[in-house]
Amino acid sequence: MNNQDFTTSFLVDQSPKDVFDAINNVRGWWTEGVAGNTEKLNDEFSVQFWDVHYTMQKLIEVVPYTRVAWLITDSKLTFIADETEWTGTKIVFDILKKGEQTEVRFTHIGLVPQGECYKDCSNAWNGYINTSLKNLITTGKGNPTTIEQLTK
């Protein structure tokens, strides 16, 4: 059976430690609208994008410089019929040394093509992961959704 979970990856010249630190700086690459802690095992944080996206994440795996995994414990995506489609899904960041480079492999386990959110959510993840997170790692500045944007 083919794995259909949404996955994307990229390579950078920075160290696994630099990548790990950037991933855990969720406010620096996803959104400034994060409430809670985003760095240690069992930390929980919520993300709110206007009135269309709410999720609560719990860090269920934190292996320094190797892996970070979140469990989505609650979700409300108001732009699809099953507003709780993300609840119970997992978001995994694998950090792998590839020669002189570091690979970041992002997988949203449970975000599959059969899901109503797949098209919009995979497009959004592509932007946040392949642009914003990558920029945070390589330049020190990501492109998160800002508080100013969230209050408009």
Side-chain angles (χ1 to χ4, degrees), residues 54-116:
Y54 161 81
T55 52
M56 176 65 78
Q57 286 75 214
K58 179 177 183 174
L59 277 77
I60 58 169
E61 194 173 355
V62 179
V63 181
Y65 324 135
T66 304
R67 179 178 253 218
V68 176
W70 309 338
L71 172 66
I72 308 295
T73 59
D74 192 23
S75 65
K76 185 173 183 180
L77 309 174
T78 62
F79 57 95
I80 58 175
D82 179 4
E83 295 183 349
T84 63
E85 186 175 297
W86 278 24
T87 303
T89 65
K90 294 179 184 173
I91 293 172
V92 179
F93 300 86
D94 286 306
I95 303 164
L96 306 133
K97 196 72 177 148
K98 298 278 186 165
E100 295 299 311
Q101 294 186 299
T102 304
E103 179 183 14
V104 178
R105 187 181 318 136
F106 170 91
T107 305
H108 188 156
I109 300 169
L111 181 61
V112 294
Q114 299 81 4
E116 187 180 357

Side-chain angles (χ1 to χ4, degrees), residues 29-30 49 124-134 143-145:
W29 63 266
W30 191 10
F49 288 93
W125 277 134
N126 267 320
Y128 284 113
I129 301 302
N130 294 315
T131 302
S132 187
L133 177 58
K134 187 175 184 179
N143 312 96
T145 300

Side-chain angles (χ1 to χ4, degrees), residues 26 30 34-38 43-47 55-57 59 70:
V26 179
W30 191 10
V34 169
N37 296 317
T38 64
D43 276 355
E44 293 183 278
F45 65 96
S46 65
V47 169
T55 52
M56 176 65 78
Q57 286 75 214
L59 277 77
W70 309 338

Side-chain angles (χ1 to χ4, degrees), residues 138-150:
T138 59
T139 71
K141 180 149 178 54
N143 312 96
T145 300
T146 64
I147 294 295
E148 181 179 278
Q149 290 169 317
L150 291 172

